[in-house]
Amino acid sequence: MPAFAPLGGTRNDPLPALASEPLIGIIFGPPGSGKGTQAARLEKDLGIHHLSTGDILRGEVAKGTPLGKEVGRIMAAGDLVPDGLIVDVVRSRLPDAEQGVGALLDGFPRTVAQARALDSMLSDEGHRVNFIVALDVPEELLVDRLLHRAQVEGRTDDTREVIAERMREYHKLTEAVLDHYRKQGVRIHEVNGTGSPDEVFDRIHAAISGISSR
């Protein structure tokens, strides 16, 4: 099965053509890392479907659907959306996202239980996770970014202590998911997420060269 052609040149060059089988990727990044920006750029340059559970849930909340009302109550209480609910959301949308080039998952899986559920869903379709991009940004920089955002948006409950605790929880959960996929031999690309969006994308662009759906 063909892999990506070798990359060369600058970030303005198109990313290489994908293999014939759908590629499934995951992008990880803590709050404030610019993950959403990079995922959108990857979607455009690879032609891959960006499946963001955060965007889906926020959309459901905004529309006032039954799912949105349930999620809204959970988020208002400061709790994490349960694994089962997130898994159901992804299960309902993943088949469409897998069509064509493939899918880039953003915000899922966040726990090992979610990762196992994803593996099962993909296995049913004869697919698997092919690559992971994990953005690494110093916690101090992330906390400063989020404090600034909280000030601009009037989020008085986002204190330095609360944000730091969210970061610790994120890293704890993410590392467990990364370990899960390392054991499976999935290619994990840990990318320096500091600098301008263009600089970060250059690093991602170089890191994912040569991946295939094998």
Side-chain angles (χ1 to χ4, degrees):
M1 192 169 293
F4 284 121
L7 276 174
T10 69
R11 63 180 173 80
N12 294 317
D13 297 328
L15 284 170
L18 293 173
S20 57
E21 290 294 323
L23 279 167
I24 307 298
I26 300 171
I27 184 166
F28 283 114
S33 66
K35 173 173 59 72
T37 297
Q38 297 304 326
R41 294 184 69 161
L42 284 170
E43 178 180 40
K44 179 180 178 181
D45 281 41
L46 276 75
I48 200 168
H49 295 115
H50 174 203
L51 184 61
S52 168
T53 53
D55 287 349
I56 292 169
L57 294 177
R58 284 188 290 271
E60 295 293 326
V61 171
K63 289 185 290 187
T65 65
L67 171 62
K69 291 176 182 178
E70 182 176 359
V71 169
R73 286 194 296 269
I74 293 169
M75 296 173 65
D79 297 327
L80 294 175
V81 178
D83 285 349
L85 185 57
I86 291 292
V87 168
D88 286 344
V89 167
V90 174
R91 183 179 286 113
S92 68
R93 289 165 173 80
L94 186 59
D96 288 339
E98 288 178 280
Q99 298 301 313
V101 172
L104 178 67
L105 296 164
D106 169 5
F108 181 90
R110 288 190 174 181
T111 67
V112 172
Q114 292 178 14
R116 289 173 177 154
L118 174 63
D119 294 344
S120 178
M121 284 185 261
L122 293 174
S123 178
D124 289 344
E125 302 293 331
H127 302 155
R128 65 186 292 270
V129 174
N130 302 111
F131 71 97
I132 293 174
V133 173
L135 296 178
D136 182 25
V137 182
E139 184 174 306
E140 182 178 350
L141 176 59
L142 292 170
V143 171
D144 287 342
R145 287 180 184 175
L146 292 172
L147 284 173
H148 175 72
R149 188 172 74 182
Q151 184 178 23
V152 170
E153 298 179 3
R155 299 184 183 183
T156 57
D157 55 335
D158 274 356
T159 65
R160 182 175 294 274
E161 292 74 18
V162 168
I163 292 171
E165 179 58 32
R166 286 166 54 199
M167 292 297 173
R168 283 190 290 270
E169 187 68 11
Y170 168 83
H171 288 297
K172 177 182 176 181
L173 295 173
T174 301
E175 279 304 313
V177 174
L178 292 179
D179 286 344
H180 171 81
Y181 284 112
R182 282 192 187 99
K183 292 174 183 176
Q184 296 183 17
V186 176
R187 295 184 64 173
I188 297 174
H189 308 281
E190 297 191 52
V191 176
N192 179 356
T194 61
S196 71
D198 283 350
E199 290 170 332
V200 176
F201 187 71
D202 281 349
R203 298 178 194 129
I204 297 174
H205 188 279
I208 65 175
S209 64
I211 60 175
S212 73
S213 60
R214 179 175 295 179

